[in-house]
Amino acid sequence: MDSGTHLVIGFGLAGLAYIDPVVAADPSVSTAVLIGTVLGSQAPDADTLLRLKDNATYIKNHRGRSHSLPALIIWTALITLGLMMAFDNLPFWHVTMWVFIAVAFHVFTDLFNTYGTQAFRPFSEKWVSWNIIHIFDPVIFISHLIAIFMWSVHLVRPEVLFPILYMILAVYYVWRSWYHHYLESNLFQKDPRYKQGERYYLIPTFHLYVWQVVKKMPNGHFALGEYRNNRIKWVDEVSCDAHPAVEASKNNKDIAAFLYFTSFACADLHFHEWGYEVRWADVRYRHRKQYPFVAVMMLDKELNPLDSYVGWVSETRLGKKLRVNT
């Protein structure tokens, strides 16, 4: 989820904590838990600071170790330790439990997005992305804002309000999961061009009933479309190039980080007087007829590296990122 949604969830979990009599009975404990759940809901994304090093390091590691099983314990311990130092006589296990819930809930909700996490580290480095909930879901965000407002003006007691909110959201997650599975498993019936061996992926959008469609073909090429009103509208086809320059680009750290992160990468090769431009794009992210999440490498005619870039960028800005004029 986006940082704003994680923030309101942190406040929401602080309200939910009032079902714990120990938290509800002591204002200092409820304040500490509020701070803990807000920090816990943000802590796994502290790896955003890796941007300060370089984009390749950030892309390879964001939502990786910071969202792993050991990280759940580490973040919980660090935040709880800080709270124990800042407040006197806190009930250790109650505070620890609510901080842990906040950290774990952050990682759990990220599994439902397209970006995904490595939540099962150290047992597996596989990126888990269930493609069920958009990174910004208006239902989740707005429902939390309404509940927090009602709590702040004392319209409803938090121990009543927030259990209802999270029961509703639990039903919402179950419905979205079922609906996604149902649509994705039956998409081939909606496609008159379907051929044996093709696989379909549904990608959530901001709109509840509109999905992006990625069709992966046996030859490694992709078709991109939109599912709306019970039909697929195909909007683009992407052919992936094979060439020695494409293979050579995989040795570059920017390209390697990109390929480590995504299994939806497709290479597009351009020839220039000075050599080759290999542009890898993640076809899951299509915006205004472009693929803004890219890894690009420039090589001379002998396949020696000239420059590279990985990250989110528009077509017009990409040339400014590279020393070689494309």
Side-chain angles (χ1 to χ4, degrees):
M1 310 300 291
D2 68 297
S3 297
T5 301
H6 283 308
L7 177 63
V8 296
I9 289 175
F11 281 99
L13 292 175
L16 182 65
Y18 277 80
I19 65 174
D20 183 343
V22 175
V23 176
D26 190 333
S28 66
V29 176
S30 60
T31 299
V33 168
L34 171 63
I35 296 171
T37 56
V38 170
L39 290 177
S41 69
Q42 297 290 325
D45 283 345
D47 59 9
T48 300
L49 295 173
L50 292 172
R51 286 182 184 272
L52 298 176
K53 184 176 182 181
D54 56 62
N55 279 357
T57 301
Y58 169 74
I59 288 169
K60 185 175 181 179
N61 293 282
H62 180 50
R63 293 193 179 184
R65 290 182 176 86
S66 66
H67 288 60
S68 66
L69 294 173
L72 299 181
I73 306 302
I74 294 171
W75 292 126
T76 300
L78 290 175
I79 294 170
T80 302
L81 177 61
L83 292 172
M84 298 301 291
M85 296 173 63
F87 291 83
D88 293 328
N89 301 318
L90 286 180
F92 176 80
W93 291 113
H94 290 264
V95 174
T96 300
M97 177 183 70
W98 287 106
V99 172
F100 176 80
I101 289 173
V103 175
F105 200 73
H106 176 120
V107 175
F108 176 72
T109 55
D110 279 352
L111 291 171
F112 288 82
N113 303 150
T114 300
Y115 199 97
T117 77
Q118 290 181 314
F120 298 114
R121 271 180 173 265
F123 303 107
S124 172
E125 292 190 15
K126 180 181 178 180
W127 289 93
V128 182
S129 54
W130 292 335
N131 299 325
I132 293 169
I133 303 290
H134 191 257
I135 192 169
F136 177 81
D137 186 293
V139 172
I140 297 171
F141 185 79
I142 294 173
S143 63
H144 273 86
L145 284 185
I146 293 172
I148 293 168
F149 171 77
M150 294 174 68
W151 176 25
S152 66
V153 299
H154 307 290
L155 287 178
V156 186
R157 299 194 311 274
E159 63 269 26
V160 174
L161 175 63
F162 287 96
I164 293 173
L165 169 65
Y166 284 104
M167 283 189 289
I168 292 172
L169 289 179
V171 172
Y172 176 68
Y173 267 80
V174 171
W175 170 73
R176 286 286 287 182
S177 299
W178 171 83
Y179 188 54
H180 177 271
H181 173 74
Y182 171 77
L183 291 180
E184 190 173 72
S185 59
N186 290 282
L187 270 181
F188 71 96
Q189 299 177 3
K190 309 288 185 181
D191 183 10
R193 302 187 298 176
Y194 169 72
K195 296 179 181 179
Q196 189 70 28
E198 295 177 338
R199 182 166 181 186
Y200 297 81
Y201 300 88
L202 271 182
I203 308 296
T205 70
F206 179 81
H207 304 283
L208 291 182
Y209 295 99
V210 179
W211 305 77
Q212 291 181 342
V213 181
V214 177
K215 180 168 70 171
K216 190 170 186 178
M217 306 175 192
N219 59 6
H221 301 334
F222 297 91
L224 291 306
E226 179 183 84
Y227 183 83
R228 181 197 295 260
N229 298 326
N230 205 35
R231 62 184 294 268
I232 302 174
K233 178 184 177 182
W234 296 110
V235 296
D236 197 11
E237 291 191 7
V238 181
S239 298
C240 306
D241 292 329
H243 186 275
V246 173
E247 292 302 311
S249 73
K250 296 178 181 179
N251 297 319
N252 175 266
K253 70 178 182 68
D254 288 340
I255 307 299
F258 186 83
L259 297 179
Y260 176 75
F261 166 74
T262 179
S263 58
F264 292 85
C266 191
D268 185 23
L269 180 64
H270 297 268
F271 297 88
H272 299 277
E273 292 183 357
W274 42 262
Y276 307 96
E277 173 194 352
V278 181
R279 182 176 305 190
W280 292 88
D282 189 328
V283 299
R284 293 175 297 176
Y285 304 103
R286 187 176 188 273
H287 180 66
R288 296 180 180 177
K289 300 181 180 181
Q290 296 183 8
Y291 299 91
F293 186 35
V294 298
V296 183
M297 177 145 191
M298 326 299 288
L299 307 98
D300 64 21
K301 294 182 178 180
E302 286 73 42
L303 303 183
N304 297 309
L306 298 175
D307 199 6
S308 63
Y309 172 81
V310 61
W312 297 83
V313 68
S314 66
E315 184 74 25
T316 55
R317 293 176 55 198
L318 181 59
K320 299 178 182 179
K321 301 286 185 179
L322 299 163
R323 290 193 298 271
V324 178
N325 188 354
T326 61

